[in-house]
Amino acid sequence: MNDTAAPLVIVDAANVVGSVPDGWWRDRRGAAERLRDRLAAHGLPGRTGPVEIVLVVEGAARGVESVPGVRVESAPGSGDDHMVALVAAAGDRAVLVVTADRELRRRVAALGAECTGPRSVPR
């Protein structure tokens, strides 16, 4: 593990947004933007020190812009596949993936990433 690089935190926007029944389905892009803004303002509770946050969006949320503190990546296809590719590209850097998706958790854990659930994200 590379202890000198800031940990990479990859957030599964669709999964995190979908974990709260607040009407997100009426405005998926807006819900992803609100999530991005919460992450930019509060980071990930319990994580001290610098981190690089990447919010992965897909479907109707594609095109959400990055803001200082949160890089947004629009998955060209499957969001899960894109997140797995990001983990694979991270090499020996510490990676935390935020999702409740069991299959995605299995795939990224096999590459050495840690996982946490949507409740770790500020509401």
Side-chain angles (χ1 to χ4, degrees):
M1 184 175 346
N2 182 348
D3 293 329
T4 61
L8 177 62
V9 177
I10 301 170
V11 181
D12 181 350
N15 190 267
V16 172
V17 165
S19 70
V20 179
D22 63 359
W24 59 264
W25 51 89
R26 290 188 295 270
D27 181 11
R28 293 170 193 251
R29 183 182 177 113
E33 289 171 337
R34 289 188 296 278
L35 172 58
R36 175 205 60 200
D37 295 346
R38 286 194 313 272
L39 289 165
H42 305 289
L44 203 59
R47 296 286 164 174
T48 57
V51 297
E52 178 184 356
I53 299 175
V54 178
L55 181 65
V56 176
V57 296
E58 61 187 327
R62 281 190 187 102
V64 170
E65 298 291 326
S66 296
V67 296
V70 179
R71 184 175 88 230
V72 180
E73 291 208 8
S74 294
S78 159
D80 289 5
D81 290 346
H82 191 68
M83 287 179 271
V84 170
L86 289 172
V87 172
D92 63 351
R93 183 177 182 190
V95 180
L96 175 68
V97 176
V98 181
T99 187
D101 182 305
R102 288 185 191 143
E103 178 60 16
L104 177 57
R105 283 175 168 248
R106 184 195 64 73
R107 291 174 67 192
V108 298
L111 296 171
E114 286 184 61
C115 296
T116 191
R119 291 182 186 192
S120 64
V121 174
R123 301 266 179 234

